[in-house]
C-alpha cells in the first residue's frame, strides 16, 4: 500500500491502466465496490444488479476525502484499492443508511472507466 501525500488514505494499484490520468476538476466514471473493513460487509457496489457506474467531479470535495484524493492519478482501465480511515471517510457519525458504523475504515475497489 502507498500513502496519499498529505492524507492517511492508502492505495494499491491492482491492475495498471493506460492513457490520461484523473486530475482535479475532471469528471471520472468508475465502477466501485465498498466494504467496511472491520466487518467485511459490502455496503455498495456499482456492479450489483440495477446499479450503474458512478460519475463524479474529481479533487473538488464532491465525495469523501479519501476517495477524492485516492482516485487522483488513476488511468483508464486501472483497478485500485483504497483503504480510507474514518476521518477521511464518514467519520464519527458513520453513514447509517448504508450500514456504515461510526468510526469505520472503508475499503473501496475501483475501476476507472472514463475521464472527461
Amino acid at each position: 500500500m502507498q500513502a496519499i501525500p498529505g492524507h492517511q488514505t492508502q492505495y494499491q494499484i491492482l491492475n495498471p491502466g493506460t492513457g490520461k490520468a484523473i486530475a482535479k476538476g475532471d469528471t471520472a466514471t468508475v465502477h466501485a465496490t465498498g466494504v467496511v473493513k472491520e466487518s467485511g460487509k459490502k455496503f455498495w457496489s456499482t456492479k450489483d444488479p440495477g446499479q450503474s457506474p458512478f460519475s463524479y467531479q474529481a479533487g473538488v470535495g464532491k465525495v469523501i476525502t479519501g476517495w477524492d484524493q485516492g482516485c487522483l492519478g488513476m488511468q483508464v482501465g486501472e483497478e485500485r484499492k483504497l483503504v480510507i480511515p474514518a476521518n477521511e471517510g464518514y467519520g464519527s457519525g458513520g453513514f447509517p443508511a448504508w450500514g456504515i458504523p461510526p468510526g469505520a475504515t472503508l475499503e473501496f475497489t475501483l475501476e476507472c472507466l472514463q475521464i472527461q
Side-chain angles (χ1 to χ4, degrees):
M1 297 294 274
Q2 299 178 49
I4 305 295
H7 298 276
Q8 294 176 340
T9 294
Q10 296 185 320
Y11 74 97
Q12 177 182 3
I13 297 172
L14 304 175
N15 288 306
T18 58
K20 183 177 177 173
I22 298 173
K24 184 177 179 179
D26 287 343
T27 297
T29 301
V30 299
H31 266 310
T33 299
V35 173
V36 174
K37 183 177 181 182
E38 291 82 359
S39 67
K41 183 180 177 189
K42 178 176 74 172
F43 57 84
W44 179 54
S45 179
T46 60
K47 293 183 176 184
D48 284 348
Q51 297 293 311
S52 58
F54 178 71
S55 295
Y56 70 101
Q57 190 177 11
V60 296
K62 304 253 176 160
V63 293
I64 59 174
T65 300
W67 174 310
D68 209 23
Q69 298 302 309
C71 289
L72 294 175
M74 280 186 81
Q75 294 177 293
V76 173
E78 181 178 324
E79 291 182 44
R80 183 178 286 201
K81 179 179 181 177
L82 297 179
V83 177
I84 303 173
N87 65 320
E88 292 180 4
Y90 291 105
S92 61
F95 193 156
W98 280 10
I100 300 172
T105 300
L106 307 177
E107 293 182 336
F108 280 98
T109 304
L110 302 145
E111 178 185 357
C112 183
L113 301 174
Q114 185 178 25
I115 303 167
Q116 295 178 305

